[in-house]
Amino acid sequence: SQQGEEDPQALSIQEGENATMNCSYKTSINNLQWYRQNSGRGLVHLILIRSNEREKHSGRLRVTLDTSKKSSSLLITASRAADTASYFCALGRSNYQLIWGAGTKLIIKP
Amino acid sequence: GAVVSQHPSRVICKSGTSVKIECRSLDFQATTMFWYRQFPKKSLMLMATSNEGSKATYEQGVEKDKFLINHASLTLSTLTVTSAHPEDSSFYICSASDGTGNSPLHFGNGTRLTVT
């Protein structure tokens, strides 16, 4: 399959803990993007990491990319109840289309 | 910046009628817009890609005569679900790109369509 495969499918942690989600893929990519979707809403772009980058930070978010293993991880530190959402990885190819993973549903328990 | 407005957010229609969903880029020119369908607890399924002024490119299995896409300007794309059927009930989301493959997509908030 060319699509991104995310694990875990669901993750439930206590507020304040760190949450880690992983994305593996099989195709070549130009970049890998992470998006967040609150229930019943559209998606919000979080971070884009290019294929020649290994790590990127944005606030409490840290994304790593290992092109040799064809995997990426999204780490959310010091999680908050408001981080509860579904998180999707998307593979950016040479054209403008994205190939989407199935998503990880993250629940932060207060 | 980079706001995409999708309207309506919810619509209920009777079987056999048509429904139009609008997707507007408010503060940028969207050279390409994408229409997705999302089933409950599932990922996004790309339906079609539209470029301003040209015909949309539909994904395999998506009926172009049923899901009419028009991208008449750099800020507006519409999806019309024709002769709606209960199986068309779903969450439809549009997104827009303002650049190349290394640009993030900007998403509308989606439209929940219920066909009775």
Side-chain angles (χ1 to χ4, degrees), chain A residues 61-99:
Chain A
L61 306 180
R62 172 178 164 244
V63 167
T64 62
L65 177 64
D66 187 335
T67 52
S68 65
K69 294 182 179 178
K70 296 196 169 172
S71 69
S72 174
S73 68
L74 170 66
L75 168 68
I76 303 175
T77 60
S79 63
R80 304 169 183 169
D83 295 328
T84 294
S86 291
Y87 292 82
F88 294 90
C89 69
L91 313 178
R93 308 285 311 276
S94 56
N95 56 24
Y96 40 68
Q97 289 193 1
L98 295 179
I99 301 173

Side-chain angles (χ1 to χ4, degrees), chain A residues 31 35 37 42-43 48 50 101, chain B residues 36 38 43 49 101-102 105 107-108:
Chain A
N31 63 72
Y35 289 81
Q37 183 181 32
L43 279 74
L48 181 154
R50 297 175 193 272
Chain B
Y36 296 89
Q38 187 176 33
S43 186
T49 302
N102 278 329
L105 293 182
F107 282 82

Side-chain angles (χ1 to χ4, degrees), chain A residues 1-35:
Chain A
S1 165
Q2 285 189 328
Q3 75 175 34
E5 295 181 5
E6 299 185 56
D7 79 274
Q9 290 185 336
L11 179 62
S12 180
I13 60 173
Q14 289 294 138
E15 192 169 22
E17 294 180 341
N18 296 341
T20 300
M21 289 158 272
N22 302 294
C23 175
S24 60
Y25 58 93
K26 295 180 180 178
T27 186
S28 60
I29 61 170
N30 271 7
N31 63 72
L32 189 145
Q33 304 178 32
W34 286 91
Y35 289 81

